[in-house]
Amino acid sequence: MEGNASAGGSAAPLPWRAGGGPNASLELASRLAPGPGGTISPWDIMLCVSGTAIAAENALVVAILAYSPALRTPMFVLVGSLATADLLAGCGLILHFVFRYAVRSDTGSLLTVGFLVAAFAASVSSLLAITVDRYLSLHRALTYGSERTALRLHALLGATWGASACLGLLPVLGWNCLGERAAACSVVHPLTRSHVRLLAAAFFAVFALMLHLYVRICKVVCRHAHQIALQQHFLAASHLVATKKGVSTLAIILGTFGASWLPFAIYCVVGEPGYPSIYTYATLLPATYNSMINPIIYAFRNQEIQRSLWVLFCGCFHSKVAFRSRSPSDV
């Protein structure tokens, strides 16, 4: 992502907008390709590398889910939605680098901005959908399996991706600060302040809801452990370890999500276009890491996906290798 001034003054000089200055906001749009003596911002290189790793990881997850008939359950469909969104986000980061340094196209850059907004919005929305599914599978364990029909699942995914696409179309449909609307720019060019604050508000709502649901999940897990202890007159060491592991896993999941996205969301609200672009880069880069970590948390830890990976890379499956079948909704 292009910054008008990078740390240490490494970026090539760019023409300033009226009223701008060397501390102008981070620009996603490409206006000037580096010349023979130009330099490439190390921040843009890190974003491109991050996008490449994200795309590779999540493409592997999508391929495994697509070609493994055993991984077609509703929960795996939600994991597939998350992996698809993160895959698109990784591709968007790569395209941004291309339009910044290889192809000068304002239209392409604007489309890339909308593409990235839609992809990251779908990623966050898919995380919320997985959290809701985990909570309902524990809170209504006896009935939720029959209620979780394919129609309801497809309706949920349709709403998730539809809302994300709408958010991504806003810059393309005119909610941007290109041309004569430079005064409305946010810390992320060419998104307007109102658009960025809308996205930040939506994230805060999603994060608050996920926090509430994970607290409820912890209560359900602890209550189940207490019921087992009452039935057996003591809490077995294995159950105690499993309970602590479950709560720790939930804390890691929510902590990773919050640590990745909260700094950028907060900065989008409090930041001003005149702030140094390094602030935007420094908060945006960790946000992209969330899409890199998601496959590890939601896919590669699952035993069925590990089995499929073993088959994919070894070409065969040795029965003596023990795999315990478990749902990705396991805490």
Side-chain angles (χ1 to χ4, degrees):
M1 296 184 181
E2 176 188 352
N4 284 353
S6 64
S10 61
L14 296 180
W16 307 113
R17 295 180 183 272
N23 288 339
S25 63
L26 171 73
E27 296 204 6
L28 287 167
S30 171
R31 293 202 310 268
L32 184 65
T39 59
I40 298 178
S41 168
W43 291 101
D44 287 325
I45 294 176
M46 286 188 287
L47 285 173
C48 185
V49 171
S50 176
T52 303
I54 290 169
E57 273 187 297
N58 287 282
L60 179 60
V61 175
V62 171
I64 290 174
L65 295 178
Y67 291 100
S68 300
L71 305 179
R72 303 291 171 81
T73 62
M75 186 61 206
F76 282 115
V77 173
L78 293 176
V79 173
S81 173
L82 174 63
T84 302
D86 288 333
L87 169 61
L88 295 178
C91 293
L93 291 172
I94 298 172
L95 288 175
H96 157 69
F97 188 86
V98 171
F99 284 118
R100 167 66 181 94
Y101 293 104
V103 181
R104 287 188 296 175
S105 172
D106 289 339
T107 301
S109 297
L110 188 60
L111 290 174
T112 302
V113 172
F115 186 80
L116 281 169
V117 170
F120 281 122
S123 176
V124 173
S125 300
S126 296
L127 287 174
L128 176 61
I130 291 174
T131 304
V132 172
D133 185 81
R134 283 182 167 181
Y135 170 71
L136 292 178
S137 65
L138 289 173
H139 185 66
R140 293 155 54 180
L142 297 179
T143 60
Y144 184 59
S146 59
E147 294 173 353
R148 187 171 53 178
T149 63
L151 179 60
R152 291 186 178 183
L153 180 64
H154 292 156
L156 174 63
L157 292 179
T160 295
W161 283 88
S164 301
C166 290
L167 290 174
L169 284 174
L170 289 178
V172 180
L173 296 178
W175 209 356
N176 60 66
C177 60
L178 296 177
E180 301 300 323
R181 293 166 288 186
C185 278
S186 67
V187 293
V188 181
H189 185 88
L191 301 183
T192 63
R193 295 182 187 181
S194 54
H195 188 192
V196 166
R197 287 171 180 171
L198 172 64
L199 294 174
F203 168 79
F204 291 137
V206 169
F207 183 74
L209 182 56
M210 289 180 63
L211 178 61
H212 172 72
L213 290 176
Y214 274 125
V215 170
R216 297 288 297 271
I217 289 174
C218 285
K219 291 181 178 180
V220 172
V221 170
C222 293
R223 184 169 65 246
H224 286 177
H226 180 67
Q227 291 173 348
I228 293 174
L230 290 178
Q231 292 174 359
Q232 299 181 352
H233 303 293
F234 68 94
L235 185 58
S238 59
H239 291 148
L240 180 59
V241 171
T243 302
K244 290 183 177 180
K245 182 179 179 181
V247 174
S248 299
T249 301
L250 294 178
I252 292 173
I253 291 173
L254 192 62
T256 301
F257 178 64
S260 298
W261 278 106
L262 275 175
F264 181 65
I266 293 173
Y267 183 66
C268 285
V269 174
V270 303
E272 296 293 337
Y275 289 178
S277 61
I278 189 174
Y279 295 161
T280 308
Y281 278 117
T283 55
L284 176 61
L285 189 62
T288 67
Y289 292 160
N290 186 67
S291 295
M292 196 183 303
I293 297 172
N294 283 338
I296 300 173
I297 294 178
Y298 295 96
F300 296 140
R301 291 174 61 250
N302 180 266
Q303 298 290 336
E304 295 298 332
I305 292 181
Q306 290 176 11
R307 186 201 306 266
S308 298
L309 281 171
W310 182 275
V311 173
L312 177 64
F313 289 110
C314 296
C316 61
F317 178 73
H318 300 285
S319 59
K320 63 182 179 180
V321 180
F323 288 91
R324 181 177 64 87
S325 177
R326 79 183 202 184
S327 166
S329 62
D330 284 352
V331 177

